[in-house]
Amino acid sequence: MALSVEDLKAIEAMLEPIRRDIKSIQLTLENETNRNIKIIAEGHLD
């Protein structure tokens, strides 16, 4: 049973909000991690 073009478009539409959420989580983690690494690094500078 092959998927039709309409099926694929419906799946794509369902996945888009998930993609946005994942991207948001990635950016949040990246921002927090980089900020925390910078704080730790500044504490080790002499």
Side-chain angles (χ1 to χ4, degrees):
M1 179 177 157
L3 295 175
S4 68
V5 174
E6 292 82 23
D7 292 336
L8 294 174
K9 286 181 181 179
I11 292 169
E12 182 71 25
M14 287 187 286
L15 289 176
E16 189 55 37
I18 297 169
R19 283 191 184 116
R20 276 188 260 124
D21 289 345
I22 291 171
K23 185 67 172 177
S24 175
I25 292 167
Q26 286 174 331
L27 291 174
T28 300
L29 287 173
E30 185 176 306
N31 290 339
E32 287 296 315
T33 302
N34 289 347
R35 183 176 151 269
N36 291 336
I37 289 172
K38 182 179 176 184
I39 289 169
I40 291 169
E42 288 173 351
H44 289 283
L45 292 176
D46 287 336

mmCIF file of all heavy atoms in Angstrom:
data_model
loop_
_atom_site.group_PDB
_atom_site.id
_atom_site.type_symbol
_atom_site.label_atom_id
_atom_site.label_comp_id
_atom_site.label_asym_id
_atom_site.label_seq_id
_atom_site.Cartn_x
_atom_site.Cartn_y
_atom_site.Cartn_z
ATOM 1 N N MET A 1 0.844 -1.175 0.000
ATOM 2 C CA MET A 1 0.000 0.000 0.000
ATOM 3 C C MET A 1 0.892 1.242 0.000
ATOM 4 O O MET A 1 1.622 1.522 0.948
ATOM 5 C CB MET A 1 -0.893 -0.011 1.238
ATOM 6 C CG MET A 1 -1.777 1.177 1.342
ATOM 7 S SD MET A 1 -2.820 0.980 2.805
ATOM 8 C CE MET A 1 -3.211 2.652 3.096
ATOM 9 N N ALA A 2 0.851 1.982 -1.061
ATOM 10 C CA ALA A 2 1.654 3.188 -1.192
ATOM 11 C C ALA A 2 0.869 4.391 -0.668
ATOM 12 O O ALA A 2 -0.357 4.431 -0.729
ATOM 13 C CB ALA A 2 2.013 3.405 -2.654
ATOM 14 N N LEU A 3 1.606 5.331 -0.167
ATOM 15 C CA LEU A 3 0.980 6.559 0.318
ATOM 16 C C LEU A 3 0.741 7.509 -0.848
ATOM 17 O O LEU A 3 1.572 7.646 -1.732
ATOM 18 C CB LEU A 3 1.872 7.243 1.347
ATOM 19 C CG LEU A 3 2.108 6.494 2.648
ATOM 20 C CD1 LEU A 3 3.109 7.230 3.504
ATOM 21 C CD2 LEU A 3 0.802 6.327 3.402
ATOM 22 N N SER A 4 -0.375 8.173 -0.812
ATOM 23 C CA SER A 4 -0.683 9.134 -1.858
ATOM 24 C C SER A 4 -0.021 10.477 -1.533
ATOM 25 O O SER A 4 0.466 10.700 -0.414
ATOM 26 C CB SER A 4 -2.194 9.322 -1.970
ATOM 27 O OG SER A 4 -2.689 9.962 -0.813
ATOM 28 N N VAL A 5 -0.022 11.348 -2.483
ATOM 29 C CA VAL A 5 0.535 12.677 -2.296
ATOM 30 C C VAL A 5 -0.220 13.408 -1.193
ATOM 31 O O VAL A 5 0.389 14.090 -0.366
ATOM 32 C CB VAL A 5 0.485 13.483 -3.621
ATOM 33 C CG1 VAL A 5 0.919 14.917 -3.406
ATOM 34 C CG2 VAL A 5 1.335 12.822 -4.686
ATOM 35 N N GLU A 6 -1.519 13.226 -1.145
ATOM 36 C CA GLU A 6 -2.325 13.861 -0.104
ATOM 37 C C GLU A 6 -1.942 13.340 1.280
ATOM 38 O O GLU A 6 -1.883 14.098 2.241
ATOM 39 C CB GLU A 6 -3.821 13.633 -0.359
ATOM 40 C CG GLU A 6 -4.366 14.334 -1.580
ATOM 41 C CD GLU A 6 -4.099 13.548 -2.864
ATOM 42 O OE1 GLU A 6 -3.890 12.315 -2.807
ATOM 43 O OE2 GLU A 6 -4.083 14.169 -3.937
ATOM 44 N N ASP A 7 -1.687 12.043 1.369
ATOM 45 C CA ASP A 7 -1.263 11.457 2.644
ATOM 46 C C ASP A 7 0.063 12.061 3.097
ATOM 47 O O ASP A 7 0.239 12.401 4.267
ATOM 48 C CB ASP A 7 -1.108 9.935 2.526
ATOM 49 C CG ASP A 7 -2.423 9.211 2.323
ATOM 50 O OD1 ASP A 7 -3.477 9.774 2.707
ATOM 51 O OD2 ASP A 7 -2.399 8.097 1.776
ATOM 52 N N LEU A 8 0.986 12.165 2.162
ATOM 53 C CA LEU A 8 2.298 12.713 2.488
ATOM 54 C C LEU A 8 2.202 14.184 2.908
ATOM 55 O O LEU A 8 2.892 14.612 3.840
ATOM 56 C CB LEU A 8 3.255 12.564 1.306
ATOM 57 C CG LEU A 8 3.625 11.120 0.951
ATOM 58 C CD1 LEU A 8 4.459 11.079 -0.315
ATOM 59 C CD2 LEU A 8 4.345 10.443 2.091
ATOM 60 N N LYS A 9 1.347 14.933 2.260
ATOM 61 C CA LYS A 9 1.157 16.335 2.637
ATOM 62 C C LYS A 9 0.541 16.450 4.028
ATOM 63 O O LYS A 9 0.900 17.322 4.809
ATOM 64 C CB LYS A 9 0.285 17.057 1.607
ATOM 65 C CG LYS A 9 1.008 17.338 0.312
ATOM 66 C CD LYS A 9 0.134 18.075 -0.682
ATOM 67 C CE LYS A 9 0.886 18.317 -1.969
ATOM 68 N NZ LYS A 9 0.076 19.009 -2.967
ATOM 69 N N ALA A 10 -0.383 15.551 4.344
ATOM 70 C CA ALA A 10 -1.010 15.553 5.671
ATOM 71 C C ALA A 10 0.024 15.211 6.744
ATOM 72 O O ALA A 10 0.063 15.840 7.813
ATOM 73 C CB ALA A 10 -2.169 14.565 5.707
ATOM 74 N N ILE A 11 0.871 14.236 6.458
ATOM 75 C CA ILE A 11 1.929 13.868 7.403
ATOM 76 C C ILE A 11 2.886 15.037 7.587
ATOM 77 O O ILE A 11 3.286 15.352 8.712
ATOM 78 C CB ILE A 11 2.667 12.601 6.919
ATOM 79 C CG1 ILE A 11 1.740 11.396 6.984
ATOM 80 C CG2 ILE A 11 3.929 12.363 7.747
ATOM 81 C CD1 ILE A 11 2.279 10.155 6.294
ATOM 82 N N GLU A 12 3.258 15.655 6.502
ATOM 83 C CA GLU A 12 4.161 16.817 6.560
ATOM 84 C C GLU A 12 3.554 17.932 7.407
ATOM 85 O O GLU A 12 4.232 18.549 8.227
ATOM 86 C CB GLU A 12 4.438 17.332 5.145
ATOM 87 C CG GLU A 12 5.388 18.493 5.072
ATOM 88 C CD GLU A 12 6.814 18.118 5.390
ATOM 89 O OE1 GLU A 12 7.174 16.945 5.205
ATOM 90 O OE2 GLU A 12 7.560 19.011 5.829
ATOM 91 N N ALA A 13 2.265 18.173 7.248
ATOM 92 C CA ALA A 13 1.582 19.215 8.029
ATOM 93 C C ALA A 13 1.566 18.860 9.517
ATOM 94 O O ALA A 13 1.703 19.741 10.370
ATOM 95 C CB ALA A 13 0.162 19.405 7.512
ATOM 96 N N MET A 14 1.437 17.583 9.841
ATOM 97 C CA MET A 14 1.442 17.160 11.237
ATOM 98 C C MET A 14 2.837 17.266 11.850
ATOM 99 O O MET A 14 2.979 17.516 13.040
ATOM 100 C CB MET A 14 0.939 15.718 11.370
ATOM 101 C CG MET A 14 -0.544 15.573 11.153
ATOM 102 S SD MET A 14 -1.134 13.905 11.508
ATOM 103 C CE MET A 14 -0.521 13.006 10.105
ATOM 104 N N LEU A 15 3.860 17.082 11.044
ATOM 105 C CA LEU A 15 5.233 17.105 11.541
ATOM 106 C C LEU A 15 5.774 18.521 11.740
ATOM 107 O O LEU A 15 6.690 18.716 12.533
ATOM 108 C CB LEU A 15 6.157 16.341 10.598
ATOM 109 C CG LEU A 15 5.985 14.825 10.583
ATOM 110 C CD1 LEU A 15 6.894 14.204 9.546
ATOM 111 C CD2 LEU A 15 6.244 14.232 11.943
ATOM 112 N N GLU A 16 5.240 19.478 11.057
ATOM 113 C CA GLU A 16 5.780 20.847 11.127
ATOM 114 C C GLU A 16 5.779 21.421 12.545
ATOM 115 O O GLU A 16 6.791 21.961 12.985
ATOM 116 C CB GLU A 16 5.029 21.770 10.162
ATOM 117 C CG GLU A 16 5.666 23.127 10.021
ATOM 118 C CD GLU A 16 7.130 23.060 9.603
ATOM 119 O OE1 GLU A 16 7.494 22.187 8.801
ATOM 120 O OE2 GLU A 16 7.917 23.880 10.109
ATOM 121 N N PRO A 17 4.691 21.318 13.308
ATOM 122 C CA PRO A 17 4.736 21.826 14.693
ATOM 123 C C PRO A 17 5.774 21.094 15.545
ATOM 124 O O PRO A 17 6.433 21.698 16.398
ATOM 125 C CB PRO A 17 3.334 21.586 15.231
ATOM 126 C CG PRO A 17 2.474 21.372 14.047
ATOM 127 C CD PRO A 17 3.349 20.862 12.957
ATOM 128 N N ILE A 18 5.944 19.818 15.296
ATOM 129 C CA ILE A 18 6.950 19.049 16.035
ATOM 130 C C ILE A 18 8.337 19.557 15.702
ATOM 131 O O ILE A 18 9.186 19.713 16.586
ATOM 132 C CB ILE A 18 6.804 17.545 15.726
ATOM 133 C CG1 ILE A 18 5.445 17.048 16.213
ATOM 134 C CG2 ILE A 18 7.944 16.740 16.354
ATOM 135 C CD1 ILE A 18 5.081 15.660 15.740
ATOM 136 N N ARG A 19 8.585 19.821 14.439
ATOM 137 C CA ARG A 19 9.885 20.369 14.018
ATOM 138 C C ARG A 19 10.163 21.702 14.706
ATOM 139 O O ARG A 19 11.276 21.957 15.165
ATOM 140 C CB ARG A 19 9.914 20.562 12.507
ATOM 141 C CG ARG A 19 10.115 19.316 11.733
ATOM 142 C CD ARG A 19 10.400 19.646 10.264
ATOM 143 N NE ARG A 19 10.497 18.440 9.511
ATOM 144 C CZ ARG A 19 9.666 18.076 8.535
ATOM 145 N NH1 ARG A 19 8.684 18.888 8.183
ATOM 146 N NH2 ARG A 19 9.820 16.945 7.916
ATOM 147 N N ARG A 20 9.151 22.561 14.771
ATOM 148 C CA ARG A 20 9.332 23.863 15.424
ATOM 149 C C ARG A 20 9.647 23.697 16.899
ATOM 150 O O ARG A 20 10.510 24.390 17.444
ATOM 151 C CB ARG A 20 8.079 24.727 15.232
ATOM 152 C CG ARG A 20 8.091 25.465 13.902
ATOM 153 C CD ARG A 20 6.937 26.460 13.816
ATOM 154 N NE ARG A 20 5.900 25.828 13.013
ATOM 155 C CZ ARG A 20 4.650 25.628 13.386
ATOM 156 N NH1 ARG A 20 4.227 26.028 14.551
ATOM 157 N NH2 ARG A 20 3.796 25.035 12.597
ATOM 158 N N ASP A 21 8.955 22.779 17.559
ATOM 159 C CA ASP A 21 9.211 22.531 18.982
ATOM 160 C C ASP A 21 10.622 22.008 19.207
ATOM 161 O O ASP A 21 11.316 22.434 20.128
ATOM 162 C CB ASP A 21 8.200 21.533 19.548
ATOM 163 C CG ASP A 21 6.807 22.109 19.683
ATOM 164 O OD1 ASP A 21 6.665 23.355 19.616
ATOM 165 O OD2 ASP A 21 5.860 21.311 19.853
ATOM 166 N N ILE A 22 11.055 21.090 18.370
ATOM 167 C CA ILE A 22 12.402 20.536 18.497
ATOM 168 C C ILE A 22 13.441 21.620 18.280
ATOM 169 O O ILE A 22 14.426 21.713 19.025
ATOM 170 C CB ILE A 22 12.606 19.364 17.522
ATOM 171 C CG1 ILE A 22 11.755 18.180 17.971
ATOM 172 C CG2 ILE A 22 14.083 18.970 17.426
ATOM 173 C CD1 ILE A 22 11.697 17.039 16.981
ATOM 174 N N LYS A 23 13.248 22.463 17.283
ATOM 175 C CA LYS A 23 14.187 23.556 17.016
ATOM 176 C C LYS A 23 14.247 24.499 18.214
ATOM 177 O O LYS A 23 15.317 24.949 18.619
ATOM 178 C CB LYS A 23 13.763 24.323 15.755
ATOM 179 C CG LYS A 23 14.720 25.394 15.335
ATOM 180 C CD LYS A 23 16.028 24.778 14.886
ATOM 181 C CE LYS A 23 16.923 25.833 14.288
ATOM 182 N NZ LYS A 23 18.224 25.280 13.916
ATOM 183 N N SER A 24 13.097 24.789 18.805
ATOM 184 C CA SER A 24 13.045 25.661 19.978
ATOM 185 C C SER A 24 13.808 25.042 21.144
ATOM 186 O O SER A 24 14.561 25.731 21.838
ATOM 187 C CB SER A 24 11.590 25.909 20.362
ATOM 188 O OG SER A 24 11.522 26.643 21.547
ATOM 189 N N ILE A 25 13.630 23.756 21.349
ATOM 190 C CA ILE A 25 14.339 23.060 22.426
ATOM 191 C C ILE A 25 15.835 23.079 22.166
ATOM 192 O O ILE A 25 16.638 23.336 23.077
ATOM 193 C CB ILE A 25 13.827 21.611 22.572
ATOM 194 C CG1 ILE A 25 12.397 21.613 23.097
ATOM 195 C CG2 ILE A 25 14.735 20.793 23.488
ATOM 196 C CD1 ILE A 25 11.688 20.276 22.989
ATOM 197 N N GLN A 26 16.244 22.845 20.917
ATOM 198 C CA GLN A 26 17.667 22.859 20.574
ATOM 199 C C GLN A 26 18.274 24.227 20.857
ATOM 200 O O GLN A 26 19.359 24.325 21.427
ATOM 201 C CB GLN A 26 17.864 22.512 19.098
ATOM 202 C CG GLN A 26 17.657 21.063 18.775
ATOM 203 C CD GLN A 26 17.716 20.794 17.282
ATOM 204 O OE1 GLN A 26 17.397 21.661 16.473
ATOM 205 N NE2 GLN A 26 18.086 19.587 16.926
ATOM 206 N N LEU A 27 17.578 25.289 20.460
ATOM 207 C CA LEU A 27 18.099 26.630 20.679
ATOM 208 C C LEU A 27 18.179 26.964 22.161
ATOM 209 O O LEU A 27 19.148 27.562 22.623
ATOM 210 C CB LEU A 27 17.239 27.655 19.942
ATOM 211 C CG LEU A 27 17.328 27.625 18.423
ATOM 212 C CD1 LEU A 27 16.310 28.581 17.821
ATOM 213 C CD2 LEU A 27 18.732 27.949 17.950
ATOM 214 N N THR A 28 17.175 26.545 22.910
ATOM 215 C CA THR A 28 17.182 26.790 24.354
ATOM 216 C C THR A 28 18.350 26.076 25.010
ATOM 217 O O THR A 28 19.083 26.668 25.811
ATOM 218 C CB THR A 28 15.860 26.321 24.982
ATOM 219 O OG1 THR A 28 14.780 27.048 24.382
ATOM 220 C CG2 THR A 28 15.849 26.542 26.481
ATOM 221 N N LEU A 29 18.553 24.814 24.671
ATOM 222 C CA LEU A 29 19.667 24.060 25.241
ATOM 223 C C LEU A 29 21.003 24.676 24.856
ATOM 224 O O LEU A 29 21.907 24.800 25.683
ATOM 225 C CB LEU A 29 19.612 22.604 24.774
ATOM 226 C CG LEU A 29 18.534 21.747 25.398
ATOM 227 C CD1 LEU A 29 18.480 20.381 24.722
ATOM 228 C CD2 LEU A 29 18.764 21.581 26.880
ATOM 229 N N GLU A 30 21.119 25.069 23.604
ATOM 230 C CA GLU A 30 22.360 25.678 23.127
ATOM 231 C C GLU A 30 22.638 26.981 23.866
ATOM 232 O O GLU A 30 23.759 27.220 24.331
ATOM 233 C CB GLU A 30 22.267 25.931 21.628
ATOM 234 C CG GLU A 30 23.529 26.456 21.010
ATOM 235 C CD GLU A 30 23.396 26.599 19.505
ATOM 236 O OE1 GLU A 30 23.033 25.614 18.848
ATOM 237 O OE2 GLU A 30 23.649 27.711 19.010
ATOM 238 N N ASN A 31 21.644 27.806 24.004
ATOM 239 C CA ASN A 31 21.824 29.091 24.686
ATOM 240 C C ASN A 31 22.194 28.899 26.151
ATOM 241 O O ASN A 31 23.085 29.570 26.671
ATOM 242 C CB ASN A 31 20.564 29.945 24.569
ATOM 243 C CG ASN A 31 20.341 30.448 23.168
ATOM 244 O OD1 ASN A 31 21.257 30.512 22.367
ATOM 245 N ND2 ASN A 31 19.109 30.800 22.862
ATOM 246 N N GLU A 32 21.511 28.001 26.829
ATOM 247 C CA GLU A 32 21.792 27.752 28.241
ATOM 248 C C GLU A 32 23.178 27.137 28.433
ATOM 249 O O GLU A 32 23.927 27.539 29.316
ATOM 250 C CB GLU A 32 20.726 26.832 28.847
ATOM 251 C CG GLU A 32 19.396 27.502 29.055
ATOM 252 C CD GLU A 32 19.468 28.639 30.058
ATOM 253 O OE1 GLU A 32 20.084 28.469 31.120
ATOM 254 O OE2 GLU A 32 18.910 29.703 29.764
ATOM 255 N N THR A 33 23.510 26.153 27.609
ATOM 256 C CA THR A 33 24.806 25.477 27.726
ATOM 257 C C THR A 33 25.943 26.452 27.463
ATOM 258 O O THR A 33 26.910 26.508 28.232
ATOM 259 C CB THR A 33 24.880 24.294 26.741
ATOM 260 O OG1 THR A 33 23.817 23.396 27.015
ATOM 261 C CG2 THR A 33 26.191 23.565 26.866
ATOM 262 N N ASN A 34 25.839 27.214 26.383
ATOM 263 C CA ASN A 34 26.904 28.159 26.052
ATOM 264 C C ASN A 34 27.064 29.212 27.152
ATOM 265 O O ASN A 34 28.184 29.574 27.503
ATOM 266 C CB ASN A 34 26.636 28.831 24.712
ATOM 267 C CG ASN A 34 26.807 27.883 23.552
ATOM 268 O OD1 ASN A 34 27.346 26.790 23.698
ATOM 269 N ND2 ASN A 34 26.356 28.302 22.396
ATOM 270 N N ARG A 35 25.961 29.683 27.694
ATOM 271 C CA ARG A 35 26.014 30.682 28.760
ATOM 272 C C ARG A 35 26.697 30.107 29.997
ATOM 273 O O ARG A 35 27.561 30.740 30.602
ATOM 274 C CB ARG A 35 24.601 31.147 29.107
ATOM 275 C CG ARG A 35 24.555 32.230 30.158
ATOM 276 C CD ARG A 35 23.106 32.705 30.386
ATOM 277 N NE ARG A 35 22.979 33.165 31.738
ATOM 278 C CZ ARG A 35 22.613 32.402 32.774
ATOM 279 N NH1 ARG A 35 22.321 31.138 32.598
ATOM 280 N NH2 ARG A 35 22.536 32.907 33.980
ATOM 281 N N ASN A 36 26.322 28.894 30.362
ATOM 282 C CA ASN A 36 26.899 28.268 31.546
ATOM 283 C C ASN A 36 28.378 27.948 31.358
ATOM 284 O O ASN A 36 29.163 28.090 32.290
ATOM 285 C CB ASN A 36 26.120 27.014 31.923
ATOM 286 C CG ASN A 36 24.734 27.342 32.443
ATOM 287 O OD1 ASN A 36 24.491 28.442 32.931
ATOM 288 N ND2 ASN A 36 23.821 26.400 32.331
ATOM 289 N N ILE A 37 28.758 27.526 30.166
ATOM 290 C CA ILE A 37 30.172 27.260 29.888
ATOM 291 C C ILE A 37 30.971 28.559 29.996
ATOM 292 O O ILE A 37 32.075 28.566 30.550
ATOM 293 C CB ILE A 37 30.348 26.604 28.506
ATOM 294 C CG1 ILE A 37 29.827 25.180 28.555
ATOM 295 C CG2 ILE A 37 31.812 26.636 28.067
ATOM 296 C CD1 ILE A 37 29.763 24.493 27.205
ATOM 297 N N LYS A 38 30.405 29.635 29.491
ATOM 298 C CA LYS A 38 31.096 30.939 29.562
ATOM 299 C C LYS A 38 31.298 31.353 31.015
ATOM 300 O O LYS A 38 32.374 31.826 31.406
ATOM 301 C CB LYS A 38 30.278 31.996 28.820
ATOM 302 C CG LYS A 38 30.921 33.351 28.788
ATOM 303 C CD LYS A 38 30.063 34.358 28.019
ATOM 304 C CE LYS A 38 30.671 35.724 28.073
ATOM 305 N NZ LYS A 38 29.816 36.706 27.433
ATOM 306 N N ILE A 39 30.287 31.165 31.852
ATOM 307 C CA ILE A 39 30.381 31.532 33.270
ATOM 308 C C ILE A 39 31.470 30.698 33.947
ATOM 309 O O ILE A 39 32.295 31.214 34.706
ATOM 310 C CB ILE A 39 29.027 31.332 33.973
ATOM 311 C CG1 ILE A 39 28.046 32.392 33.487
ATOM 312 C CG2 ILE A 39 29.172 31.407 35.489
ATOM 313 C CD1 ILE A 39 26.594 32.151 33.916
ATOM 314 N N ILE A 40 31.506 29.410 33.662
ATOM 315 C CA ILE A 40 32.518 28.531 34.256
ATOM 316 C C ILE A 40 33.911 28.947 33.770
ATOM 317 O O ILE A 40 34.851 29.022 34.560
ATOM 318 C CB ILE A 40 32.232 27.056 33.917
ATOM 319 C CG1 ILE A 40 30.974 26.598 34.641
ATOM 320 C CG2 ILE A 40 33.419 26.170 34.279
ATOM 321 C CD1 ILE A 40 30.439 25.256 34.178
ATOM 322 N N ALA A 41 34.039 29.226 32.485
ATOM 323 C CA ALA A 41 35.332 29.604 31.930
ATOM 324 C C ALA A 41 35.824 30.919 32.548
ATOM 325 O O ALA A 41 37.015 31.050 32.851
ATOM 326 C CB ALA A 41 35.240 29.731 30.414
ATOM 327 N N GLU A 42 34.935 31.869 32.739
ATOM 328 C CA GLU A 42 35.331 33.147 33.342
ATOM 329 C C GLU A 42 35.832 32.947 34.763
ATOM 330 O O GLU A 42 36.720 33.657 35.226
ATOM 331 C CB GLU A 42 34.161 34.123 33.323
ATOM 332 C CG GLU A 42 33.827 34.648 31.951
ATOM 333 C CD GLU A 42 32.555 35.477 31.919
ATOM 334 O OE1 GLU A 42 31.821 35.508 32.931
ATOM 335 O OE2 GLU A 42 32.288 36.077 30.861
ATOM 336 N N GLY A 43 35.286 31.974 35.461
ATOM 337 C CA GLY A 43 35.719 31.702 36.833
ATOM 338 C C GLY A 43 37.098 31.085 36.900
ATOM 339 O O GLY A 43 37.747 31.108 37.945
ATOM 340 N N HIS A 44 37.590 30.559 35.787
ATOM 341 C CA HIS A 44 38.905 29.917 35.765
ATOM 342 C C HIS A 44 40.001 30.811 35.173
ATOM 343 O O HIS A 44 41.152 30.389 35.104
ATOM 344 C CB HIS A 44 38.833 28.595 34.989
ATOM 345 C CG HIS A 44 38.079 27.533 35.723
ATOM 346 N ND1 HIS A 44 38.592 26.823 36.766
ATOM 347 C CD2 HIS A 44 36.806 27.080 35.558
ATOM 348 C CE1 HIS A 44 37.694 25.977 37.221
ATOM 349 N NE2 HIS A 44 36.595 26.121 36.503
ATOM 350 N N LEU A 45 39.626 31.991 34.723
ATOM 351 C CA LEU A 45 40.634 32.905 34.171
ATOM 352 C C LEU A 45 41.429 33.560 35.293
ATOM 353 O O LEU A 45 40.886 33.943 36.325
ATOM 354 C CB LEU A 45 39.959 33.994 33.330
ATOM 355 C CG LEU A 45 39.298 33.531 32.036
ATOM 356 C CD1 LEU A 45 38.596 34.700 31.370
ATOM 357 C CD2 LEU A 45 40.318 32.912 31.090
ATOM 358 N N ASP A 46 42.708 33.660 35.083
ATOM 359 C CA ASP A 46 43.574 34.342 36.064
ATOM 360 C C ASP A 46 44.171 35.588 35.462
ATOM 361 O O ASP A 46 44.589 35.678 34.388
ATOM 362 C CB ASP A 46 44.707 33.413 36.525
ATOM 363 C CG ASP A 46 44.169 32.333 37.447
ATOM 364 O OD1 ASP A 46 43.118 32.533 38.064
ATOM 365 O OD2 ASP A 46 44.820 31.275 37.519
#
